[in-house]
Amino acid sequence: MSVPVSAQTVPRGGLVVVALLLVYVVWGSTYLGIHLALESGLPPLSVISGTRFVIAGGLLYALLRWRGVAAPTRAQWPTLGVMGFCLLFLGNGMVVMAERDVSSGLAAVAVASVPLWMALFSAFRGERPTRGEWLGIGIGFAGVLWLNAGSSLTATPAGLVFLLIAPLGWAAGSIWSRGRDLPSPFMTAAAQMLCGGVILVAGGLLRGERMDTLPNLQGVLSVGYLTVFGSIIGFTAYVWLLQNVRPVLASSYAYVNPVIAVALGAWIAHERFSAADIGAMAVILAGVVVITLARVRRT
């Protein structure tokens, strides 16, 4: 989710480490949470993705209003709606749809390309990348092409399409939101989750998603984990990092989450990955690292 914030005071190192671990491990584990929720037979858009964000956004919104944080203005709600559509419906929703056909680890690898798309979209907006950033973009997209053409994704055309849309939607929404009139960071997150959640639920119902039976314990626990840890705790830690450390460090989750997701997928869900999958992941992450280092030098 995109939240325009700026670094403020330097926090204690221990808090930074805790927040980073939360973002690394919790967000990396959400791919497995989605896999387990799908395995239990829950509808992908309306329940696994949509209900999760409606509940998380509603709880956070109510807490913020109780603490006196100003609600979004009438002019800000349309912007929040577009952000919810791009980042949550196209971003998160398409990941959930993809995981019906592909492994959780492979989905995480594809989503790792988000910084590459963001760098490219920034160039279209007139923010000229440095040579190092162009090099990172080139390396990363070579990995994306390898992943889409030479990995097990080739056997799942639907999963391939969804995993192309997801990072594009997230990156486009993130870049588009820059400089927009938005409420405070946490209120932006809450309202964005509410808007995106409603869109996801509506999208799921329109495609005919229904729950004919009560969810089993695995499904309930999986969606509960995604709601509390993935949407509330994990995202709150990320927003805190954006406010207190350099953006490069806060965004380092992009190349740690896939490693966590692949490891958890192999350990708990017994997922298997081909040499092409691992090779493509390594190239994508190398591209993200090159872009990150280039931005450090630039700043």
Side-chain angles (χ1 to χ4, degrees):
M1 299 172 199
S2 177
V3 182
V5 289
S6 58
Q8 296 173 352
T9 58
V10 178
R12 288 176 294 178
L15 293 177
V16 173
V17 171
V18 171
L20 284 172
L21 286 175
L22 284 172
V23 173
Y24 288 169
V25 178
V26 170
W27 273 7
S29 66
T30 55
Y31 295 92
L32 178 62
I34 292 169
H35 170 88
L36 295 175
L38 286 168
E39 194 175 62
S40 68
L42 291 176
L45 292 181
S46 59
V47 176
I48 297 176
S49 199
T51 300
R52 157 194 176 185
F53 286 115
V54 169
I55 295 173
L59 290 174
L60 185 56
Y61 185 92
L63 175 63
L64 292 171
R65 293 293 293 139
W66 177 69
R67 296 192 62 181
V69 178
T73 65
R74 183 176 299 180
Q76 291 170 338
W77 277 111
T79 301
L80 293 164
V82 173
M83 292 169 64
F85 175 78
C86 290
L87 277 79
L88 300 186
F89 181 80
L90 295 181
N92 182 269
M94 294 307 102
V95 169
V96 177
M97 294 293 287
E99 283 201 43
R100 298 178 304 164
D101 301 306
V102 305
S103 68
S104 61
L106 204 57
V109 173
V111 175
S113 65
V114 164
L116 308 177
W117 294 109
M118 290 181 67
L120 192 60
F121 290 152
S122 295
F124 292 154
R125 283 173 58 108
E127 301 175 21
R128 297 180 58 183
T130 63
R131 288 184 178 180
E133 289 173 316
W134 277 122
L135 175 62
I137 291 172
I139 293 172
F141 278 117
V144 171
L145 290 175
W146 186 3
L147 182 69
N148 293 331
S151 73
S152 55
L153 274 181
T154 55
T156 56
L160 170 60
V161 171
F162 290 135
L163 287 183
L164 284 173
I165 295 173
L168 277 169
W170 188 283
S174 298
I175 298 302
W176 178 85
S177 67
R178 290 181 180 176
R180 304 281 175 178
D181 176 29
L182 292 169
S184 63
F186 287 106
M187 181 57 76
T188 295
Q192 182 178 306
M193 284 193 286
L194 273 175
C195 292
V198 169
I199 295 171
L200 282 159
V201 171
L205 294 177
L206 286 174
R207 66 182 297 270
E209 293 183 359
R210 297 291 185 273
M211 284 188 60
D212 299 323
T213 60
L214 292 176
N216 59 26
L217 181 60
Q218 176 178 303
V220 172
L221 292 177
S222 298
V223 174
Y225 179 83
L226 292 171
T227 302
V228 176
F229 289 90
S231 297
I232 298 177
I233 295 177
F235 190 63
T236 300
Y238 177 60
V239 171
W240 184 86
L241 283 169
L242 284 175
Q243 292 177 316
N244 289 279
V245 302
R246 296 174 65 177
V248 167
L249 181 58
S251 63
S252 60
Y253 76 90
Y255 47 90
V256 177
N257 284 172
V259 179
I260 299 291
V262 167
L264 289 176
W267 176 37
I268 297 176
H270 307 293
E271 296 174 348
R272 295 292 179 264
F273 305 93
S274 68
D277 297 334
I278 301 300
M281 178 177 70
V283 174
I284 290 172
L285 298 186
V288 174
V289 170
V290 171
I291 289 177
T292 301
L293 293 176
R295 286 177 174 170
V296 169
R297 292 182 61 186
R298 188 177 192 174
T299 57

